[in-house]
């Protein structure tokens, strides 16, 4: 994937609000860095869910070039870890973030996102195997606007559930495949369940 092609496409459509690169299996960091020469203030959603080849520097360029970014899908970013999360934390207006299968990410990266992106409404972390109770508790403390939280197939335990249940706007909570959550943990939620949970 050539950086000049992306730059030319964005120059042709300067008011684009959504960029879908799901049919581009390889998007090198240089292609995302090309955005810095053609800022896209109108761009609000970027889908890189099937793309690889970029890392923290590319995401830094993307975030800097798109100050209005609200929706970002980085699913299948199996090489994206805490350095990438630290760059994402600069996108303070993010409302929807999908990090499915970003396995190298740990609580440190999640903490950066929690502190930097307080407006998150929807966060998907399924198969982020480095995420534990500590990161989720910080997330629940900092991101009070969360409505949808997917923690399926993570290493969390029942210890983070009380913090999650204090989220005042939480409507959807996914815990499939969380081996640290058992029947007793779910039974103990009867008195703690968020009133907004659907």
């Amino acid at each position: 994937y050539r950086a000049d092609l992306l730059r030319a496409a964005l120059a042709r459509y300067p008011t684009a609000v959504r960029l879908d690169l799901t049919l581009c299996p390889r998007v090198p960091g240089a292609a995302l860095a090309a955005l810095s020469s053609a800022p896209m203030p109108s761009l609000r959603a970027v889908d890189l869910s099937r793309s690889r080849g970029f890392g923290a520097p590319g995401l830094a360029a993307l975030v800097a070039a798109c100050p209005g970014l609200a929706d970002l899908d980085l699913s299948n970013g199996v090489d994206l870890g805490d350095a990438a999360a630290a760059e994402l934390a600069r996108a303070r207006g993010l409302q929807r973030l999908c990090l499915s299968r970003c396995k190298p990410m740990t609580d440190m990266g999640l903490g950066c996102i929690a502190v930097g992106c307080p407006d998150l409404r929807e966060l998907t972390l399924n198969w982020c195997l480095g995420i534990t109770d500590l990161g989720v508790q910080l997330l629940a403390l900092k991101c009070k606007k969360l409505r949808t939280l997917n923690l399926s197939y993570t290493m969390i335990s029942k210890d983070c559930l009380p913090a999650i249940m204090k989220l005042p706007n939480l409507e959807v909570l996914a815990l499939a495949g969380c081996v640290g959550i058992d029947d007793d943990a779910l039974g103990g939620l009867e008195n703690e369940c968020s009133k907004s949970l659907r």
Side-chain angles (χ1 to χ4, degrees):
Y1 196 90
R2 288 173 24 205
D4 57 329
L5 294 177
L6 180 58
R7 189 186 298 113
L10 293 176
R12 184 172 181 182
Y13 303 102
T15 58
V17 295
R18 180 171 178 77
L19 177 61
D20 187 339
L21 296 171
T22 54
L23 294 180
C24 304
R26 181 157 176 77
V27 178
L32 295 179
L35 293 172
S36 61
S37 63
M40 299 289 296
S42 63
L43 203 60
R44 293 190 48 79
V46 177
D47 192 338
L48 287 159
S49 62
R50 296 180 186 171
S51 307
R52 292 191 186 177
F54 58 90
L59 290 176
L62 174 68
V63 168
C66 306
L69 192 62
D71 184 340
L72 183 59
D73 193 336
L74 297 172
S75 298
N76 305 304
V78 294
D79 299 321
L80 299 178
D82 293 341
E87 297 302 336
L88 293 177
R90 299 175 192 270
R92 295 194 60 81
L94 269 182
Q95 295 182 12
R96 180 184 177 272
L97 180 59
C98 187
L99 297 170
S100 296
R101 289 173 291 284
C102 292
K103 295 180 181 180
M105 187 176 303
T106 69
D107 291 335
M108 184 178 293
L110 182 57
C112 290
I113 292 170
V115 171
C117 304
D119 287 338
L120 277 175
R121 266 60 165 197
E122 182 177 337
L123 181 60
T124 302
L125 295 168
N126 57 305
W127 287 105
C128 291
L129 301 178
I131 301 299
T132 68
D133 295 334
L134 182 64
V136 174
Q137 288 165 343
L138 180 59
L139 178 74
L141 182 66
K142 296 292 185 180
C143 297
K144 297 293 188 186
K145 297 178 182 178
L146 273 174
R147 292 181 182 164
T148 301
L149 181 58
N150 187 339
L151 296 168
S152 299
Y153 301 99
T154 59
M155 304 307 292
I156 63 167
S157 74
K158 62 183 179 182
D159 294 339
C160 70
L161 291 180
I164 293 172
M165 288 302 113
K166 289 179 182 171
L167 286 167
N169 301 301
L170 190 66
E171 297 176 358
V172 178
L173 176 62
L175 298 171
C178 293
V179 295
I181 308 289
D182 56 15
D183 288 346
D184 291 338
L186 293 177
L189 290 179
E190 186 174 359
N191 296 325
E192 296 183 35
C193 255
S194 170
K195 293 179 180 177
S196 61
L197 202 61
R198 295 182 182 177

